[in-house]
Amino acid sequence: MRGFFRIFKVFLAAAFLGAAGAAGYIAWLLLRDLPSLEALDELRFTATSTFYTRDGIPIADLASVEDGRAIARQLVRLEEVSPAAVVAVVASEDQRFFRHYGVDPIRLLGGLYYSLRGDLQGGSTITTQVVKNTLLRELAFERRGISGLERKLKEFPLAIQLERRYSKEEILEMYLNVVPWGGNAQGIWAAAQAYFGKEPAELNLAEGAYLAVLLPAPNPRYLDYPATRRRIRVLLNNMVEDGWVSPAEAEAAWRYKLAPKGWEVSYDDEGNLKSAKLLDPSARIMPERNVRLAPYFVYEVQRYLRDKIGSDKLRNQGGLRVITTLDLRMQNAAEKAVSNRRLPDQAQLALVALEPNSGEVLAMVGARPGTEGEFNRATQAWRSPGSAIKPFTYGVALEAGWTQATTVLDAPIEYRTPQGVWRPKNFDGTFLNRPVSIRYAFDRSLNLPAIRTAEAIGVERLGDKLRAAGFRLAGNIAVLANSIGGGAEITPVGLAAAYASFVNGGYWVEPRLVLRVEDSKGRLIYEPENKKILLWSPQVAYQIWDMLKGYVYDVPPGFRSSLAAGARIPGRIVGGKTGTSDNAIDLWFAGATRGLVAALWVGRDDHKPQRMGGVEPSSSLVNPPIWRDFVEEALRGRPAGDFPMPPGLVQASFDLLSGNESSSGVSAVFPSRQAPRAPAPTPTALLSGSSVRESPPLPSYIARPGPALTNARPYQTLALDRSTSCVASPQTPPDRLIWIQVPSQRVGEYRCN
């Protein structure tokens, strides 16, 4: 028998040693690939990105994507969290945090004891939870089997290493940023926002205690407020007992009428819960995109950044500080200006304002107030500009050597086209049947002179300018109708950028939404370039600007006011142009003043004709007053004055109707060598009759006027020397230059030997 017991003891010893060896081997296998703490330094936490105005005011938060779902997290420093909330979390989660070295055996045993009693208590320390939620995140998703055992075994040595490398304050800061707080809230910033709508620095002791007791089971504890309230009482008592807070502070926190989002609660005078009703369980869920101000501007910035820096940085990494170009004062002025306005039936609108030199978007309204959806009419609605295109028509004429006093015939004209006879008309259906200066034609927004101007300067030359300015042409083919807005379209932000060229020295500027993008550590990761394209010489640009001012302030003979008198702002110099497309489908006003260029569009989303009180509205009545109210408020208190005139130009007076020199006429800007001193010449081509013509008599300096409407015939623009009718040389004086439009196959006829 004694031998049997000896054999049995040997067997037990061997079994013990074998089990110990196997356990040791398994532990070695699980612990052999411990992550390096170096990875913690390089770890990128997904975090909520925040959009700011140019002055640093937050306007929107964009949640990041983690493990396939949107989460809300904003990285904060320990000093950005209220001390009351910090001590509540430490007292609840790891009361010996400042006394242990990463692992707390007492807490492990306590957690096991309470869990067996049915009250889930975490045995982990704050340090081990940092490890679990960072270095061991992938293993943390596996709560059972070998993966769960591997995580638990790895947590302890990593926690000890963490304590050796970082201070307690640094570890606590990591914890507050990575711990999940229920719903889609990750970290203390998201928790404060989700449950109380506050910044972490604003949390009081009662709110901090509530957030603390939600851990480690925030979802079920949020749904059972009475039980959570009892835990708050226990926590406050423990905090008093351990010396974290005074009895008076704990009592004040208990009596505070705590009301987490989604709950309707009431208390007695002693702070005891009388009733609690969960009204909206989803109230604590942070939206993927929390837009506080300027929604359509925010939508556009988000689309822009997805294209420029990619979705990975924007959503999967997040934590970005996006400093936008938005001026909050101007944005408020824009939203106020478009609110409660009398508009055509079922009309929508869009308003956008730019700084003309940089193209920075200062304000943007993408829809009528109260409109649902994200379709941004300021950037996505391509519409016919109507007569708002005419500054480009006359600008090309000025570029070709015309002046504001050059006269054009205002009389009926007809063109045969593949679609039939085209009979353009002036807006009011009348005409003077005489030559008028192009400034007069512009002031009254006459269509017939504009078409004749395009015919004279060459439709392809006009088309090239329109494309460069951002307009889209139907079929990408230039036609005479483009001169009055037909067959062309542009967005409100595009029109504002094009009009900027009239006041910034001649440059089209790319609209700019973002000043810079920084990561969570303040490092610059993206800064867009300021893109500019020269459209006009400074002298031509300023002459167009002078005409735009005339459109606002000139009072032509026989009229009581200008068509844009409603845009005038006392104390400011304003210039601009209205635009009304056929059947008033689109109404525009685009204009500028010192420091600002803005475009306002009004129209229906379904492209149907607009009616206002049963009649067709005019852009002159609808748009300028809204534009004026915006600009006046947006620039209140800012410098006024005119844009500086470039060298090579002079002021001279001429008769607005005839174009002849007149000391009592309007004052306008002219190239110094072309100031009117005698009756202004009228190009003979522009005095032709109005009969229907398929092949019109050709003026001496135009080979063929080009198509009236879309067709596929190729034309080429040539510069000729007026004295020889041959292609001009680089030495040809500007006053002898004329421009013609000829079919490509006839270009050789003008290359003289």
Side-chain angles (χ1 to χ4, degrees), residues 678-695:
T682 299
T684 57
L686 308 180
L687 297 176
S688 56
S690 59
S691 60
V692 177
R693 51 197 172 127
E694 186 170 8
S695 299

Side-chain angles (χ1 to χ4, degrees), residues 362-706:
L362 302 173
M364 178 182 289
V365 176
R368 195 170 183 171
T371 302
E372 297 182 357
E374 297 185 14
F375 180 70
N376 189 345
R377 293 150 188 85
T379 61
Q380 295 175 291
W382 288 84
R383 309 295 293 237
S384 170
S387 292
I389 207 171
K390 288 175 182 173
F392 300 89
T393 301
Y394 291 113
V396 175
L398 295 172
E399 196 173 49
W402 295 24
T403 73
Q404 297 187 59
T406 301
T407 56
V408 186
L409 183 64
D410 177 29
I413 192 169
E414 297 181 350
Y415 298 91
R416 292 195 184 278
T417 75
Q419 293 80 25
V421 178
W422 180 45
R423 299 181 179 89
K425 296 186 298 183
N426 291 329
F427 180 77
D428 60 4
T430 66
F431 53 90
L432 296 180
N433 206 28
R434 59 159 291 174
V436 297
S437 74
I438 64 170
R439 175 140 174 169
Y440 178 92
F442 186 78
D443 282 348
R444 297 312 303 167
S445 198
L446 302 178
N447 291 334
L448 298 171
I451 294 168
R452 281 189 164 89
T453 299
E455 185 177 17
I457 60 177
V459 68
E460 278 299 335
R461 181 173 181 175
L462 174 60
D464 291 343
K465 187 69 68 175
L466 293 177
R467 294 185 193 97
F471 291 87
R472 290 196 317 204
L473 306 184
N476 199 31
I477 298 174
V479 296
L480 284 176
N482 297 156
S483 62
I484 57 174
E489 57 184 9
I490 199 167
T491 63
V493 71
L495 192 63
Y499 268 60
S501 68
F502 305 139
V503 295
N504 67 9
Y507 290 90
W508 172 86
V509 289
E510 183 177 41
R512 188 177 176 187
L513 301 166
V514 173
L515 293 176
R516 65 186 182 278
V517 180
E518 302 170 351
D519 66 12
S520 59
K521 296 182 179 180
R523 295 174 299 200
L524 181 67
I525 65 172
Y526 177 69
E527 185 174 24
E529 296 180 0
N530 188 10
K531 183 178 179 182
K532 305 173 77 170
I533 297 174
L534 186 65
L535 282 182
W536 320 96
S537 70
Q539 291 73 23
V540 169
Y542 198 85
Q543 290 176 78
I544 305 171
W545 166 239
D546 197 48
M547 294 181 70
L548 290 170
K549 288 188 293 183
Y551 189 77
V552 175
Y553 296 105
D554 288 352
V555 180
F559 296 91
R560 290 182 295 178
S561 67
S562 71
L563 290 173
R568 296 176 186 171
I569 301 174
R572 292 197 177 275
I573 297 173
V574 170
K577 181 69 181 73
T578 58
T580 304
S581 65
D582 288 346
N583 298 310
I585 292 175
D586 299 285
L587 306 178
W588 294 87
F589 185 77
T593 189
R594 181 178 174 183
L596 193 69
V597 58
L600 171 68
W601 166 83
V602 175
R604 291 175 52 145
D605 286 341
D606 58 11
H607 293 257
K608 290 184 178 180
Q610 297 187 88
R611 293 295 178 266
M612 195 171 180
V615 299
E616 182 176 301
S618 165
S619 57
S620 296
L621 296 177
V622 175
N623 297 54
I626 301 174
W627 187 95
R628 175 201 63 213
D629 290 351
F630 159 62
V631 174
E632 185 174 25
E633 182 62 28
L635 295 178
R636 191 178 301 280
R638 303 192 185 191
D642 202 352
F643 296 95
M645 186 169 69
L649 299 176
V650 295
Q651 292 281 147
S653 297
F654 73 99
D655 181 76
L656 185 59
L657 189 60
S658 69
N660 295 332
E661 181 185 13
S662 172
S663 59
S664 61
V666 298
S667 178
V669 171
F670 293 85
S672 55
R673 291 185 299 173
Q674 293 180 277
R677 297 181 180 86
T682 299
T684 57
L686 308 180
L687 297 176
S688 56
S690 59
S691 60
V692 177
R693 51 197 172 127
E694 186 170 8
S695 299
L698 299 178
S700 60
Y701 56 92
I702 298 181
R704 183 171 291 277

Side-chain angles (χ1 to χ4, degrees), residues 334-342 349 369 626:
E335 293 178 359
K336 179 181 178 182
V338 301
S339 298
N340 303 315
R341 307 301 296 227
R342 184 169 178 263
L349 57 74
I626 301 174

Side-chain angles (χ1 to χ4, degrees), residues 8-20:
F8 183 68
K9 282 195 240 181
V10 171
F11 174 77
L12 287 178
F16 175 77
L17 291 174

